[in-house]
PDB file of all heavy atoms in Angstrom:
ATOM      1  N   ILE A1234      89.258-137.801  24.615  1.00  0.00           N
ATOM      2  CA  ILE A1234      90.144-138.212  23.518  1.00  0.00           C
ATOM      3  C   ILE A1234      91.579-137.949  23.760  1.00  0.00           C
ATOM      4  O   ILE A1234      92.441-138.660  23.534  1.00  0.00           O
ATOM      5  CB  ILE A1234      89.671-137.531  22.035  1.00  0.00           C
ATOM      6  CG1 ILE A1234      88.327-138.054  21.636  1.00  0.00           C
ATOM      7  CG2 ILE A1234      90.643-137.820  21.034  1.00  0.00           C
ATOM      8  CD1 ILE A1234      87.723-137.210  20.469  1.00  0.00           C
ATOM      9  N   LEU A1237      93.635-140.086  26.322  1.00  0.00           N
ATOM     10  CA  LEU A1237      93.821-141.449  26.128  1.00  0.00           C
ATOM     11  C   LEU A1237      95.356-141.914  26.101  1.00  0.00           C
ATOM     12  O   LEU A1237      96.023-140.989  25.694  1.00  0.00           O
ATOM     13  CB  LEU A1237      93.167-141.906  24.816  1.00  0.00           C
ATOM     14  CG  LEU A1237      91.730-142.097  24.683  1.00  0.00           C
ATOM     15  CD1 LEU A1237      91.442-142.306  23.248  1.00  0.00           C
ATOM     16  CD2 LEU A1237      91.298-143.261  25.504  1.00  0.00           C
ATOM     17  N   GLY A1238      95.688-142.933  26.522  1.00  0.00           N
ATOM     18  CA  GLY A1238      97.044-143.342  26.375  1.00  0.00           C
ATOM     19  C   GLY A1238      98.028-142.815  27.406  1.00  0.00           C
ATOM     20  O   GLY A1238      97.725-142.296  28.406  1.00  0.00           O
ATOM     21  N   ARG A1239      99.283-143.034  27.060  1.00  0.00           N
ATOM     22  CA  ARG A1239     100.393-142.821  28.012  1.00  0.00           C
ATOM     23  C   ARG A1239     100.452-141.212  28.306  1.00  0.00           C
ATOM     24  O   ARG A1239     100.319-140.372  27.324  1.00  0.00           O
ATOM     25  CB  ARG A1239     101.666-143.251  27.394  1.00  0.00           C
ATOM     26  CG  ARG A1239     102.480-144.211  28.243  1.00  0.00           C
ATOM     27  CD  ARG A1239     103.759-144.616  27.748  1.00  0.00           C
ATOM     28  NE  ARG A1239     103.953-143.973  26.400  1.00  0.00           N
ATOM     29  CZ  ARG A1239     104.865-144.201  25.539  1.00  0.00           C
ATOM     30  NH1 ARG A1239     105.727-145.128  25.900  1.00  0.00           N
ATOM     31  NH2 ARG A1239     105.002-143.585  24.456  1.00  0.00           N
ATOM     32  N   LYS A1246      98.653-133.547  22.641  1.00  0.00           N
ATOM     33  CA  LYS A1246      97.378-134.429  22.356  1.00  0.00           C
ATOM     34  C   LYS A1246      96.120-133.662  22.568  1.00  0.00           C
ATOM     35  O   LYS A1246      95.136-133.823  21.678  1.00  0.00           O
ATOM     36  CB  LYS A1246      97.450-135.631  23.323  1.00  0.00           C
ATOM     37  CG  LYS A1246      98.497-136.619  22.942  1.00  0.00           C
ATOM     38  CD  LYS A1246      98.277-138.002  23.564  1.00  0.00           C
ATOM     39  CE  LYS A1246      98.575-138.072  25.001  1.00  0.00           C
ATOM     40  NZ  LYS A1246      98.372-139.494  25.586  1.00  0.00           N
ATOM     41  N   VAL A1256      87.253-129.000  13.690  1.00  0.00           N
ATOM     42  CA  VAL A1256      87.257-129.072  12.236  1.00  0.00           C
ATOM     43  C   VAL A1256      85.949-130.037  12.020  1.00  0.00           C
ATOM     44  O   VAL A1256      85.018-129.714  11.142  1.00  0.00           O
ATOM     45  CB  VAL A1256      88.302-129.723  11.553  1.00  0.00           C
ATOM     46  CG1 VAL A1256      88.183-129.988  10.017  1.00  0.00           C
ATOM     47  CG2 VAL A1256      89.507-128.830  11.752  1.00  0.00           C
ATOM     48  N   ALA A1257      85.852-131.193  12.666  1.00  0.00           N
ATOM     49  CA  ALA A1257      84.672-132.068  12.351  1.00  0.00           C
ATOM     50  C   ALA A1257      83.451-131.254  12.711  1.00  0.00           C
ATOM     51  O   ALA A1257      82.484-131.283  11.937  1.00  0.00           O
ATOM     52  CB  ALA A1257      84.864-133.314  13.365  1.00  0.00           C
ATOM     53  N   ILE A1263      78.323-126.611   8.687  1.00  0.00           N
ATOM     54  CA  ILE A1263      78.051-126.322   7.248  1.00  0.00           C
ATOM     55  C   ILE A1263      76.990-127.160   6.680  1.00  0.00           C
ATOM     56  O   ILE A1263      76.028-126.733   6.070  1.00  0.00           O
ATOM     57  CB  ILE A1263      79.412-126.340   6.501  1.00  0.00           C
ATOM     58  CG1 ILE A1263      80.289-125.272   7.103  1.00  0.00           C
ATOM     59  CG2 ILE A1263      79.145-126.074   5.061  1.00  0.00           C
ATOM     60  CD1 ILE A1263      81.645-125.441   6.507  1.00  0.00           C
ATOM     61  N   ALA A1264      77.071-128.575   7.081  1.00  0.00           N
ATOM     62  CA  ALA A1264      76.217-129.481   6.498  1.00  0.00           C
ATOM     63  C   ALA A1264      74.889-129.154   6.999  1.00  0.00           C
ATOM     64  O   ALA A1264      73.789-129.419   6.099  1.00  0.00           O
ATOM     65  CB  ALA A1264      76.626-130.865   6.851  1.00  0.00           C
ATOM     66  N   LEU A1267      73.629-125.506   5.149  1.00  0.00           N
ATOM     67  CA  LEU A1267      73.622-125.224   3.779  1.00  0.00           C
ATOM     68  C   LEU A1267      72.288-125.512   2.997  1.00  0.00           C
ATOM     69  O   LEU A1267      71.950-124.770   2.189  1.00  0.00           O
ATOM     70  CB  LEU A1267      74.757-126.159   3.027  1.00  0.00           C
ATOM     71  CG  LEU A1267      75.991-125.341   2.735  1.00  0.00           C
ATOM     72  CD1 LEU A1267      76.870-126.278   1.795  1.00  0.00           C
ATOM     73  CD2 LEU A1267      75.684-124.033   2.011  1.00  0.00           C
ATOM     74  N   PRO A1268      71.613-126.616   3.284  1.00  0.00           N
ATOM     75  CA  PRO A1268      70.330-126.937   2.620  1.00  0.00           C
ATOM     76  C   PRO A1268      69.252-125.855   3.121  1.00  0.00           C
ATOM     77  O   PRO A1268      68.178-125.846   2.526  1.00  0.00           O
ATOM     78  CB  PRO A1268      69.934-128.389   2.899  1.00  0.00           C
ATOM     79  CG  PRO A1268      70.768-128.637   4.134  1.00  0.00           C
ATOM     80  CD  PRO A1268      71.873-127.715   4.148  1.00  0.00           C
ATOM     81  N   ARG A1277      74.731-117.166   9.802  1.00  0.00           N
ATOM     82  CA  ARG A1277      75.992-116.460   9.558  1.00  0.00           C
ATOM     83  C   ARG A1277      76.265-115.367  10.372  1.00  0.00           C
ATOM     84  O   ARG A1277      77.271-115.060  11.015  1.00  0.00           O
ATOM     85  CB  ARG A1277      76.009-116.292   8.117  1.00  0.00           C
ATOM     86  CG  ARG A1277      77.460-116.077   7.693  1.00  0.00           C
ATOM     87  CD  ARG A1277      77.661-115.721   6.290  1.00  0.00           C
ATOM     88  NE  ARG A1277      77.050-114.414   5.938  1.00  0.00           N
ATOM     89  CZ  ARG A1277      76.343-114.161   4.917  1.00  0.00           C
ATOM     90  NH1 ARG A1277      75.878-115.029   4.028  1.00  0.00           N
ATOM     91  NH2 ARG A1277      75.800-112.881   4.733  1.00  0.00           N
ATOM     92  N   PHE A1357      90.453-117.431  21.363  1.00  0.00           N
ATOM     93  CA  PHE A1357      91.863-116.981  21.702  1.00  0.00           C
ATOM     94  C   PHE A1357      91.978-116.060  22.973  1.00  0.00           C
ATOM     95  O   PHE A1357      92.996-115.743  23.596  1.00  0.00           O
ATOM     96  CB  PHE A1357      92.741-116.375  20.605  1.00  0.00           C
ATOM     97  CG  PHE A1357      93.062-117.250  19.525  1.00  0.00           C
ATOM     98  CD1 PHE A1357      92.393-117.362  18.251  1.00  0.00           C
ATOM     99  CD2 PHE A1357      94.054-118.254  19.834  1.00  0.00           C
ATOM    100  CE1 PHE A1357      92.730-118.236  17.250  1.00  0.00           C
ATOM    101  CE2 PHE A1357      94.398-119.166  18.869  1.00  0.00           C
ATOM    102  CZ  PHE A1357      93.837-119.084  17.640  1.00  0.00           C
ATOM    103  N   ILE A1400      88.791-100.669   9.823  1.00  0.00           N
ATOM    104  CA  ILE A1400      88.284-100.592   8.436  1.00  0.00           C
ATOM    105  C   ILE A1400      86.953 -99.783   8.397  1.00  0.00           C
ATOM    106  O   ILE A1400      86.081 -99.989   7.530  1.00  0.00           O
ATOM    107  CB  ILE A1400      87.996-101.985   7.896  1.00  0.00           C
ATOM    108  CG1 ILE A1400      86.963-102.765   8.891  1.00  0.00           C
ATOM    109  CG2 ILE A1400      89.181-102.802   7.774  1.00  0.00           C
ATOM    110  CD1 ILE A1400      86.462-103.848   8.164  1.00  0.00           C
ATOM    111  N   LEU A1405      84.885-104.623  11.676  1.00  0.00           N
ATOM    112  CA  LEU A1405      85.585-105.971  11.781  1.00  0.00           C
ATOM    113  C   LEU A1405      84.946-106.667  13.014  1.00  0.00           C
ATOM    114  O   LEU A1405      84.951-106.226  14.143  1.00  0.00           O
ATOM    115  CB  LEU A1405      87.026-105.777  11.894  1.00  0.00           C
ATOM    116  CG  LEU A1405      87.992-106.820  11.581  1.00  0.00           C
ATOM    117  CD1 LEU A1405      87.764-107.263  10.078  1.00  0.00           C
ATOM    118  CD2 LEU A1405      89.453-106.384  11.515  1.00  0.00           C
ATOM    119  N   ALA A1412      91.296-113.352  16.862  1.00  0.00           N
ATOM    120  CA  ALA A1412      92.096-114.489  16.230  1.00  0.00           C
ATOM    121  C   ALA A1412      93.359-113.833  15.712  1.00  0.00           C
ATOM    122  O   ALA A1412      94.484-114.559  15.753  1.00  0.00           O
ATOM    123  CB  ALA A1412      91.360-115.181  15.114  1.00  0.00           C
ATOM    124  N   PRO A1417      99.151-115.543  16.763  1.00  0.00           N
ATOM    125  CA  PRO A1417     100.568-115.487  16.903  1.00  0.00           C
ATOM    126  C   PRO A1417     101.036-115.840  18.401  1.00  0.00           C
ATOM    127  O   PRO A1417     102.111-116.456  18.526  1.00  0.00           O
ATOM    128  CB  PRO A1417     100.901-113.943  16.570  1.00  0.00           C
ATOM    129  CG  PRO A1417      99.724-113.570  15.872  1.00  0.00           C
ATOM    130  CD  PRO A1417      98.610-114.253  16.248  1.00  0.00           C
ATOM    131  N   PHE A1419      99.572-118.033  20.346  1.00  0.00           N
ATOM    132  CA  PHE A1419      99.464-119.424  20.380  1.00  0.00           C
ATOM    133  C   PHE A1419     100.799-120.035  19.888  1.00  0.00           C
ATOM    134  O   PHE A1419     101.372-120.992  20.505  1.00  0.00           O
ATOM    135  CB  PHE A1419      98.205-119.962  19.575  1.00  0.00           C
ATOM    136  CG  PHE A1419      98.183-121.343  19.316  1.00  0.00           C
ATOM    137  CD1 PHE A1419      97.556-122.162  20.424  1.00  0.00           C
ATOM    138  CD2 PHE A1419      98.654-122.049  18.191  1.00  0.00           C
ATOM    139  CE1 PHE A1419      97.428-123.476  20.150  1.00  0.00           C
ATOM    140  CE2 PHE A1419      98.515-123.393  18.080  1.00  0.00           C
ATOM    141  CZ  PHE A1419      97.819-124.183  19.059  1.00  0.00           C
ATOM    142  N   ARG A1424     106.096-122.676  20.641  1.00  0.00           N
ATOM    143  CA  ARG A1424     107.618-122.550  20.406  1.00  0.00           C
ATOM    144  C   ARG A1424     108.334-122.689  21.740  1.00  0.00           C
ATOM    145  O   ARG A1424     109.388-123.311  21.827  1.00  0.00           O
ATOM    146  CB  ARG A1424     108.042-121.297  19.672  1.00  0.00           C
ATOM    147  CG  ARG A1424     108.007-121.357  18.162  1.00  0.00           C
ATOM    148  CD  ARG A1424     108.350-120.097  17.608  1.00  0.00           C
ATOM    149  NE  ARG A1424     109.653-119.716  17.892  1.00  0.00           N
ATOM    150  CZ  ARG A1424     110.796-120.173  17.304  1.00  0.00           C
ATOM    151  NH1 ARG A1424     110.837-121.069  16.372  1.00  0.00           N
ATOM    152  NH2 ARG A1424     112.042-119.608  17.606  1.00  0.00           N
ATOM    153  N   LEU A1431     107.292-136.490  17.110  1.00  0.00           N
ATOM    154  CA  LEU A1431     106.314-137.509  16.944  1.00  0.00           C
ATOM    155  C   LEU A1431     106.844-138.757  16.517  1.00  0.00           C
ATOM    156  O   LEU A1431     107.771-138.846  15.656  1.00  0.00           O
ATOM    157  CB  LEU A1431     105.220-137.015  15.840  1.00  0.00           C
ATOM    158  CG  LEU A1431     104.296-136.134  16.526  1.00  0.00           C
ATOM    159  CD1 LEU A1431     103.368-135.494  15.338  1.00  0.00           C
ATOM    160  CD2 LEU A1431     103.276-136.854  17.406  1.00  0.00           C
TER     161      LEU A1431
ATOM    162  N   ASN B 236     104.607-138.303   9.090  1.00  0.00           N
ATOM    163  CA  ASN B 236     103.476-138.175   9.954  1.00  0.00           C
ATOM    164  C   ASN B 236     102.223-137.871   9.162  1.00  0.00           C
ATOM    165  O   ASN B 236     102.184-136.945   8.426  1.00  0.00           O
ATOM    166  CB  ASN B 236     103.859-136.961  10.906  1.00  0.00           C
ATOM    167  CG  ASN B 236     102.792-136.809  12.074  1.00  0.00           C
ATOM    168  OD1 ASN B 236     101.609-137.164  11.804  1.00  0.00           O
ATOM    169  ND2 ASN B 236     103.267-136.560  13.166  1.00  0.00           N
ATOM    170  N   LEU B 286     109.192-121.213  11.867  1.00  0.00           N
ATOM    171  CA  LEU B 286     108.736-120.948  13.237  1.00  0.00           C
ATOM    172  C   LEU B 286     108.788-122.287  14.021  1.00  0.00           C
ATOM    173  O   LEU B 286     108.945-122.221  15.279  1.00  0.00           O
ATOM    174  CB  LEU B 286     107.184-120.677  13.199  1.00  0.00           C
ATOM    175  CG  LEU B 286     106.787-119.104  13.019  1.00  0.00           C
ATOM    176  CD1 LEU B 286     105.512-119.047  12.817  1.00  0.00           C
ATOM    177  CD2 LEU B 286     107.498-118.292  13.932  1.00  0.00           C
ATOM    178  N   ARG B 289     113.606-125.375  15.996  1.00  0.00           N
ATOM    179  CA  ARG B 289     114.356-125.073  17.155  1.00  0.00           C
ATOM    180  C   ARG B 289     115.160-126.412  17.515  1.00  0.00           C
ATOM    181  O   ARG B 289     114.536-127.386  17.898  1.00  0.00           O
ATOM    182  CB  ARG B 289     113.306-124.884  18.262  1.00  0.00           C
ATOM    183  CG  ARG B 289     113.724-123.802  19.241  1.00  0.00           C
ATOM    184  CD  ARG B 289     112.663-123.547  20.261  1.00  0.00           C
ATOM    185  NE  ARG B 289     113.396-123.126  21.479  1.00  0.00           N
ATOM    186  CZ  ARG B 289     112.865-123.403  22.659  1.00  0.00           C
ATOM    187  NH1 ARG B 289     111.780-124.043  22.741  1.00  0.00           N
ATOM    188  NH2 ARG B 289     113.509-122.953  23.727  1.00  0.00           N
ATOM    189  N   LEU B 299     101.362-128.162  15.450  1.00  0.00           N
ATOM    190  CA  LEU B 299     100.760-127.183  16.302  1.00  0.00           C
ATOM    191  C   LEU B 299     100.915-125.818  15.859  1.00  0.00           C
ATOM    192  O   LEU B 299      99.982-124.941  15.754  1.00  0.00           O
ATOM    193  CB  LEU B 299     101.252-127.239  17.684  1.00  0.00           C
ATOM    194  CG  LEU B 299     100.640-128.356  18.563  1.00  0.00           C
ATOM    195  CD1 LEU B 299     101.241-128.340  20.016  1.00  0.00           C
ATOM    196  CD2 LEU B 299      99.152-128.377  18.598  1.00  0.00           C
ATOM    197  N   SER B 306      94.585-121.080  11.771  1.00  0.00           N
ATOM    198  CA  SER B 306      93.431-120.463  12.197  1.00  0.00           C
ATOM    199  C   SER B 306      93.417-119.011  12.060  1.00  0.00           C
ATOM    200  O   SER B 306      92.495-118.220  11.864  1.00  0.00           O
ATOM    201  CB  SER B 306      93.182-120.654  13.696  1.00  0.00           C
ATOM    202  OG  SER B 306      94.205-120.071  14.576  1.00  0.00           O
ATOM    203  N   MET B 307      94.821-118.417  11.883  1.00  0.00           N
ATOM    204  CA  MET B 307      94.869-117.003  11.691  1.00  0.00           C
ATOM    205  C   MET B 307      94.514-116.766  10.085  1.00  0.00           C
ATOM    206  O   MET B 307      93.780-115.778   9.852  1.00  0.00           O
ATOM    207  CB  MET B 307      96.356-116.501  11.938  1.00  0.00           C
ATOM    208  CG  MET B 307      96.557-115.202  12.179  1.00  0.00           C
ATOM    209  SD  MET B 307      98.041-114.806  12.920  1.00  0.00           S
ATOM    210  CE  MET B 307      99.316-115.507  11.811  1.00  0.00           C
ATOM    211  N   SER B 310      90.775-116.648   9.622  1.00  0.00           N
ATOM    212  CA  SER B 310      90.033-115.435  10.004  1.00  0.00           C
ATOM    213  C   SER B 310      90.425-114.319   8.974  1.00  0.00           C
ATOM    214  O   SER B 310      89.641-113.477   8.670  1.00  0.00           O
ATOM    215  CB  SER B 310      90.301-115.059  11.405  1.00  0.00           C
ATOM    216  OG  SER B 310      91.631-114.869  11.716  1.00  0.00           O
ATOM    217  N   PHE B 314      87.712-112.316   6.969  1.00  0.00           N
ATOM    218  CA  PHE B 314      87.701-110.760   6.982  1.00  0.00           C
ATOM    219  C   PHE B 314      87.661-110.302   5.558  1.00  0.00           C
ATOM    220  O   PHE B 314      86.766-109.478   5.112  1.00  0.00           O
ATOM    221  CB  PHE B 314      89.047-110.350   7.673  1.00  0.00           C
ATOM    222  CG  PHE B 314      89.444-108.906   7.198  1.00  0.00           C
ATOM    223  CD1 PHE B 314      88.498-107.873   7.484  1.00  0.00           C
ATOM    224  CD2 PHE B 314      90.630-108.591   6.745  1.00  0.00           C
ATOM    225  CE1 PHE B 314      88.831-106.595   7.251  1.00  0.00           C
ATOM    226  CE2 PHE B 314      90.998-107.331   6.424  1.00  0.00           C
ATOM    227  CZ  PHE B 314      90.159-106.284   6.635  1.00  0.00           C
ATOM    228  N   GLN B 318      84.700-108.206   3.257  1.00  0.00           N
ATOM    229  CA  GLN B 318      84.973-107.000   2.577  1.00  0.00           C
ATOM    230  C   GLN B 318      84.421-106.981   1.195  1.00  0.00           C
ATOM    231  O   GLN B 318      84.294-106.028   0.513  1.00  0.00           O
ATOM    232  CB  GLN B 318      86.510-106.728   2.509  1.00  0.00           C
ATOM    233  CG  GLN B 318      87.174-106.525   3.775  1.00  0.00           C
ATOM    234  CD  GLN B 318      86.624-105.167   4.403  1.00  0.00           C
ATOM    235  OE1 GLN B 318      85.729-105.320   5.245  1.00  0.00           O
ATOM    236  NE2 GLN B 318      87.010-104.088   3.942  1.00  0.00           N
ATOM    237  N   TRP B 322      79.191-110.597  -1.320  1.00  0.00           N
ATOM    238  CA  TRP B 322      79.697-111.832  -0.682  1.00  0.00           C
ATOM    239  C   TRP B 322      78.495-112.736  -0.412  1.00  0.00           C
ATOM    240  O   TRP B 322      77.557-112.209   0.236  1.00  0.00           O
ATOM    241  CB  TRP B 322      80.610-111.456   0.575  1.00  0.00           C
ATOM    242  CG  TRP B 322      79.979-111.679   1.804  1.00  0.00           C
ATOM    243  CD1 TRP B 322      79.107-110.738   2.388  1.00  0.00           C
ATOM    244  CD2 TRP B 322      80.304-112.635   2.748  1.00  0.00           C
ATOM    245  NE1 TRP B 322      78.824-111.166   3.737  1.00  0.00           N
ATOM    246  CE2 TRP B 322      79.466-112.301   3.902  1.00  0.00           C
ATOM    247  CE3 TRP B 322      81.065-113.777   2.801  1.00  0.00           C
ATOM    248  CZ2 TRP B 322      79.497-113.093   5.161  1.00  0.00           C
ATOM    249  CZ3 TRP B 322      81.116-114.644   3.822  1.00  0.00           C
ATOM    250  CH2 TRP B 322      80.312-114.242   5.051  1.00  0.00           C
ATOM    251  N   PHE B 408      90.447-131.872   3.465  1.00  0.00           N
ATOM    252  CA  PHE B 408      90.873-133.140   3.889  1.00  0.00           C
ATOM    253  C   PHE B 408      91.277-134.136   2.631  1.00  0.00           C
ATOM    254  O   PHE B 408      91.678-135.314   2.956  1.00  0.00           O
ATOM    255  CB  PHE B 408      89.806-133.840   4.658  1.00  0.00           C
ATOM    256  CG  PHE B 408      89.784-133.309   6.035  1.00  0.00           C
ATOM    257  CD1 PHE B 408      88.645-132.913   6.607  1.00  0.00           C
ATOM    258  CD2 PHE B 408      90.952-133.202   6.708  1.00  0.00           C
ATOM    259  CE1 PHE B 408      88.501-132.402   7.753  1.00  0.00           C
ATOM    260  CE2 PHE B 408      90.927-132.705   8.077  1.00  0.00           C
ATOM    261  CZ  PHE B 408      89.580-132.306   8.557  1.00  0.00           C
ATOM    262  N   TYR B 454      75.367-130.009  -1.885  1.00  0.00           N
ATOM    263  CA  TYR B 454      76.476-129.600  -0.976  1.00  0.00           C
ATOM    264  C   TYR B 454      77.661-129.456  -1.892  1.00  0.00           C
ATOM    265  O   TYR B 454      77.909-130.276  -2.758  1.00  0.00           O
ATOM    266  CB  TYR B 454      76.793-130.665   0.023  1.00  0.00           C
ATOM    267  CG  TYR B 454      75.708-130.872   1.075  1.00  0.00           C
ATOM    268  CD1 TYR B 454      74.738-131.670   0.977  1.00  0.00           C
ATOM    269  CD2 TYR B 454      75.658-130.048   2.244  1.00  0.00           C
ATOM    270  CE1 TYR B 454      73.727-131.874   1.877  1.00  0.00           C
ATOM    271  CE2 TYR B 454      74.670-130.118   3.122  1.00  0.00           C
ATOM    272  CZ  TYR B 454      73.630-131.105   3.006  1.00  0.00           C
ATOM    273  OH  TYR B 454      72.624-131.128   3.826  1.00  0.00           O
ATOM    274  N   PRO B 455      78.546-128.380  -1.714  1.00  0.00           N
ATOM    275  CA  PRO B 455      79.834-128.432  -2.429  1.00  0.00           C
ATOM    276  C   PRO B 455      80.628-129.548  -1.777  1.00  0.00           C
ATOM    277  O   PRO B 455      80.539-130.109  -0.788  1.00  0.00           O
ATOM    278  CB  PRO B 455      80.425-126.979  -1.985  1.00  0.00           C
ATOM    279  CG  PRO B 455      79.757-126.550  -0.793  1.00  0.00           C
ATOM    280  CD  PRO B 455      78.394-127.299  -0.711  1.00  0.00           C
ATOM    281  N   VAL B 458      82.297-129.846   1.675  1.00  0.00           N
ATOM    282  CA  VAL B 458      81.677-130.317   2.670  1.00  0.00           C
ATOM    283  C   VAL B 458      81.577-131.732   2.824  1.00  0.00           C
ATOM    284  O   VAL B 458      81.632-132.232   3.921  1.00  0.00           O
ATOM    285  CB  VAL B 458      80.065-129.707   2.706  1.00  0.00           C
ATOM    286  CG1 VAL B 458      79.373-130.191   3.821  1.00  0.00           C
ATOM    287  CG2 VAL B 458      80.321-128.197   2.694  1.00  0.00           C
ATOM    288  N   ALA B 465      86.898-135.511   8.745  1.00  0.00           N
ATOM    289  CA  ALA B 465      87.041-135.229  10.159  1.00  0.00           C
ATOM    290  C   ALA B 465      86.819-136.473  11.145  1.00  0.00           C
ATOM    291  O   ALA B 465      87.731-136.408  12.072  1.00  0.00           O
ATOM    292  CB  ALA B 465      86.007-134.056  10.333  1.00  0.00           C
ATOM    293  N   ILE B 473      92.866-140.744  18.085  1.00  0.00           N
ATOM    294  CA  ILE B 473      92.596-141.754  19.194  1.00  0.00           C
ATOM    295  C   ILE B 473      93.532-142.939  19.222  1.00  0.00           C
ATOM    296  O   ILE B 473      94.058-143.393  20.182  1.00  0.00           O
ATOM    297  CB  ILE B 473      91.021-142.246  19.050  1.00  0.00           C
ATOM    298  CG1 ILE B 473      90.174-141.078  19.507  1.00  0.00           C
ATOM    299  CG2 ILE B 473      90.933-143.502  20.006  1.00  0.00           C
ATOM    300  CD1 ILE B 473      88.710-141.476  19.317  1.00  0.00           C
ATOM    301  N   ASN B 476      97.026-141.925  20.121  1.00  0.00           N
ATOM    302  CA  ASN B 476      97.070-141.737  21.599  1.00  0.00           C
ATOM    303  C   ASN B 476      97.022-143.072  22.341  1.00  0.00           C
ATOM    304  O   ASN B 476      97.771-143.225  23.277  1.00  0.00           O
ATOM    305  CB  ASN B 476      95.851-141.005  22.182  1.00  0.00           C
ATOM    306  CG  ASN B 476      95.970-139.422  21.845  1.00  0.00           C
ATOM    307  OD1 ASN B 476      96.943-139.086  21.229  1.00  0.00           O
ATOM    308  ND2 ASN B 476      95.077-138.663  22.061  1.00  0.00           N
ATOM    309  N   GLY B 479     100.320-144.705  22.109  1.00  0.00           N
ATOM    310  CA  GLY B 479     101.210-143.917  22.693  1.00  0.00           C
ATOM    311  C   GLY B 479     102.328-143.392  21.723  1.00  0.00           C
ATOM    312  O   GLY B 479     103.381-142.897  22.024  1.00  0.00           O
ATOM    313  N   THR B 481     102.130-140.473  19.956  1.00  0.00           N
ATOM    314  CA  THR B 481     102.245-139.128  20.057  1.00  0.00           C
ATOM    315  C   THR B 481     103.062-138.918  21.368  1.00  0.00           C
ATOM    316  O   THR B 481     103.311-137.795  21.567  1.00  0.00           O
ATOM    317  CB  THR B 481     100.877-138.431  20.147  1.00  0.00           C
ATOM    318  OG1 THR B 481      99.991-139.167  19.229  1.00  0.00           O
ATOM    319  CG2 THR B 481     100.961-137.003  19.656  1.00  0.00           C
TER     320      THR B 481
END
Side-chain angles (χ1 to χ4, degrees):
Chain A
I1234 296 173
L1237 283 173
R1239 235 184 357 188
K1246 285 202 281 182
V1256 175
I1263 294 171
L1267 262 194
R1277 201 180 67 221
F1357 292 107
I1400 55 163
L1405 204 51
F1419 174 83
R1424 273 176 62 81
L1431 278 171
Chain B
N236 190 326
L286 282 175
R289 221 180 144 211
L299 283 183
S306 74
M307 204 159 57
S310 59
F314 165 56
Q318 294 296 98
W322 99 289
F408 285 129
Y454 295 91
V458 174
I473 291 177
N476 286 357
T481 327

